[in-house]
Amino acid sequence: EGKVAIITGANTGIGKETARDLARRGKVIVACRDIAKAEAAASEIRAETGNQQVIVKKLDLADTKSIREFAEKFLAEEKELHILINNAGVMLCPYSKTADGFEMHLGVNHLGHFLLTFLLVERLKQSAPARIVNVSSLAHHGGRIRFHDLHGEKCYNRGLAYCHSKLANVLFTRELARRLQGNCPELLSFAIGTKVTANALHPGSVHSELVRHSFIMTWLWKMLSFLLKTPWEGAQTSIYCAVAEELDSVTGQYFSDCQPAYVSPRGRDDETAKKLWNVSCELLHIQWD
């Protein structure tokens, strides 16, 4: 109780179910692009939980101006932040770019959350113990960080673009955890340093709106719905990473079904993680040491 959480993309799917659970525990900021959908979700959660501290804030991860405005308003209004869940995402988009010229999957799924975390990390440190939870995917196994063509201008495949962005989530989590613990690799499993942990997760194959850009995937999802997790089931690992007491000192890890899971070799490449960090800072025009 008394904790403050931000959840991006909390108006639908696993984000909404995560918000519903955390609203039974403390204050929840529902950070979404579609305000009408977000208000409908928040109203439903308030009515169900009796918690009036479920607050909607505008956040468009495809626009760095919107991200900065969100962070500025949040920092002016809230003195504490204990949980940041970077949940929002896009999947299988036809080729398009964000307001800042980033390929959409990379821009929203990785760079948008990278900038948001950068802008809020000092408030997390001040509120520590605190947690950062990055929703990645099993799809990271199919990803590569193509530094020579990050924005897919030479070659674009929307399925692979999603995989690349989910690998970026894993690498970001790994490097963020290392830096939060004082740049000491040997401390990767312990929240010494700042007392802020960062973990990533695979929510499972969930029946959600994420596949809306693909007619084939939408059809498959309907046909195979009996094999898919419900949004409530898919949210459980996010919730676990956010609140489980046994994870107080665990950081830099990747979870699936509420337990540590296998990370691809590319997801364990510290040199790529460091390079991605530096390139992300350059693209976003920030300095994050």
Side-chain angles (χ1 to χ4, degrees):
E1 290 185 16
K3 298 288 176 75
V4 179
I6 292 174
I7 308 171
T8 68
N11 60 347
T12 186
I14 66 172
K16 182 179 175 182
E17 293 304 323
T18 304
R20 194 192 307 275
D21 184 282
L22 295 191
R24 295 189 173 95
R25 309 167 188 263
K27 187 171 188 174
V28 177
I29 310 297
V30 174
C32 298
R33 179 172 53 92
D34 189 326
I35 292 293
K37 268 191 180 181
E39 285 290 1
S43 179
E44 179 188 317
I45 292 168
R46 286 186 211 113
E48 185 178 315
T49 63
N51 181 4
Q52 297 308 304
Q53 294 293 293
V54 180
I55 298 164
V56 172
K57 297 289 182 187
K58 170 86 172 178
L59 173 66
D60 184 353
L61 288 160
D63 185 348
T64 58
K65 184 182 176 187
S66 173
I67 298 167
R68 289 182 178 279
E69 286 174 354
F70 168 86
E72 189 178 325
K73 288 177 184 174
F74 174 83
L75 294 171
E77 294 168 6
E78 301 289 341
K79 298 308 170 198
E80 292 186 303
L81 175 60
H82 305 94
I83 301 167
L84 171 61
I85 302 182
N86 291 319
N87 164 83
V90 295
M91 181 181 182
L92 303 174
C93 301
Y95 190 78
S96 56
K97 289 188 174 182
T98 68
D100 302 271
F102 309 139
E103 185 278 315
M104 191 62 70
H105 292 90
L106 183 80
V108 171
N109 297 354
H110 169 59
L111 291 170
H113 283 130
F114 188 98
L115 178 60
L116 179 65
T117 306
F118 165 74
L119 294 170
L120 298 176
V121 73
E122 289 305 316
R123 186 56 46 90
L124 284 158
K125 289 178 184 177
Q126 292 161 11
S127 310
R131 301 185 187 190
I132 299 164
V133 179
N134 294 324
V135 179
S136 180
S137 169
L138 187 68
H140 86 270
H141 287 273
R144 294 179 65 187
I145 305 301
R146 303 169 68 251
F147 290 108
H148 66 287
D149 189 24
L150 269 182
H151 303 294
E153 292 167 329
K154 297 174 185 173
C155 177
Y156 181 74
N157 175 292
R158 54 186 176 174
L160 288 176
Y162 177 72
C163 295
H164 301 334
S165 71
K166 294 290 103 178
L167 174 59
N169 293 155
V170 172
L171 291 168
F172 169 46
T173 303
R174 189 174 181 87
E175 181 65 8
L176 176 60
R178 188 183 74 82
R179 287 168 179 259
L180 287 170
Q181 307 324 314
N183 296 313
C184 301
E186 64 271 19
L187 298 181
L188 201 59
S189 297
F190 303 95
I192 300 172
T194 61
K195 303 272 186 211
V196 179
T197 63
N199 290 297
L201 65 100
H202 167 55
S205 297
V206 180
H207 200 288
S208 72
E209 295 179 15
L210 199 57
V211 296
R212 63 186 175 273
H213 292 292
S214 168
F215 171 79
I216 293 171
M217 287 294 286
T218 301
W219 180 81
L220 274 173
W221 248 226
K222 283 181 180 175
M223 293 299 101
L224 300 174
S225 61
F226 63 96
L227 294 174
L228 302 174
K229 288 184 177 182
T230 64
W232 181 86
E233 290 168 334
Q236 295 311 302
T237 305
S238 294
I239 296 163
Y240 174 73
C241 288
V243 305
E245 291 180 13
E246 62 267 31
L247 299 187
D248 275 349
S249 60
V250 175
T251 192
Q253 302 299 311
Y254 171 75
F255 292 85
S256 179
D257 289 325
C258 299
Q259 57 189 1
Y262 179 74
V263 178
S264 75
R266 289 194 183 106
R268 288 179 269 126
D269 187 329
D270 288 331
E271 288 309 308
T272 301
K274 289 173 190 173
K275 185 175 179 181
L276 178 63
W277 183 283
N278 292 332
V279 169
S280 300
C281 287
E282 287 171 17
L283 288 169
L284 293 164
H285 307 295
I286 60 176
Q287 189 170 350
W288 190 359
D289 297 321

